[in-house]
Amino acid sequence: MRNFFNDTIANHPLFRSAKRVDDTGLLEPDLRRKVFKIVGEAHDHGLELMVYETYRSQERQRELFRRGVTQLKQVGVHHYGLACDLVRVVEGEPSWDGDFTLLGHLARAHGLVWGGDWPRLRDMPHVQRCAVKDQAKLFAGTWYPTDGYDPRL
């Protein structure tokens, strides 16, 4: 099946990287466009956001789980180029503190799922272009979103 994951990510030198990746080129193109719009619109509202993490390998996920940073042992939507963490910029440094309500509003306005809306495991800086109901198909390799896919439906 041809898709961004198979054509780009699976062949990328960072595919097994244990380090944090913030390369927006590893975001599926529709998500990448939306992330850039969100960052720009947040700036217009006085909120500085930065792309903190885009692609995440299974190796990195296991390390984050081992350190207790995440409750997910297996890599999730980040692995497929369909998720991005946007953190606040405070004095030039990334920050997970403060109010992420504007990010949630902008994510929803751009047709994305916001991790702050989840009832469990709320993830305030997280946005993704995959509905939770579609994640099992994504992880199984039987589905990947097409142009026009709306994860909110």
Side-chain angles (χ1 to χ4, degrees):
M1 170 173 38
R2 292 192 57 110
N3 58 48
F4 184 76
F5 175 76
N6 290 330
D7 295 346
T8 303
I9 294 175
N11 299 309
H12 199 279
L14 294 173
F15 185 69
R16 297 197 190 310
S17 175
K19 298 182 188 281
R20 176 179 64 87
V21 175
D22 61 3
D23 182 350
T24 57
L26 290 174
L27 291 176
E28 180 273 333
D30 191 43
L31 175 60
R32 183 181 326 129
R33 283 188 292 277
K34 291 176 180 191
V35 163
F36 288 151
K37 287 179 182 178
I38 288 169
V39 170
E41 290 175 21
H43 175 79
D44 293 345
H45 285 88
L47 175 63
E48 295 300 317
L49 294 175
M50 69 180 286
V51 172
Y52 185 77
E53 188 161 25
T54 56
Y55 170 74
R56 185 180 299 156
S57 70
Q58 182 60 47
E59 290 79 3
R60 176 158 167 78
Q61 187 71 31
R62 279 193 294 265
E63 175 61 20
L64 292 173
F65 180 79
R66 186 191 66 72
R67 291 186 358 222
V69 175
T70 182
Q71 294 180 27
L72 300 176
K73 189 173 188 174
Q74 297 295 316
V75 74
V77 179
H78 279 277
H79 187 67
Y80 298 88
L82 294 169
C84 182
D85 291 334
L86 297 165
V87 299
R88 300 168 60 92
V89 178
V90 177
E91 297 180 7
E93 296 296 321
S95 174
W96 291 259
D97 295 331
D99 185 2
F100 282 84
T101 305
L102 179 60
L103 173 59
H105 171 75
L106 294 172
R108 289 189 296 277
H110 287 284
L112 299 177
V113 174
W114 177 48
D117 285 332
W118 297 337
R120 296 180 342 123
L121 301 174
R122 294 182 70 196
D123 191 352
M124 304 308 270
H126 182 91
V127 298
Q128 67 181 47
R129 188 175 172 257
C130 180
V132 172
K133 68 178 178 61
D134 292 326
Q135 288 180 178
K137 296 184 294 186
L138 176 70
F139 301 159
T142 61
W143 174 87
Y144 198 84
T146 58
D147 292 341
Y149 167 76
D150 187 337
R152 300 166 304 161
L153 299 177

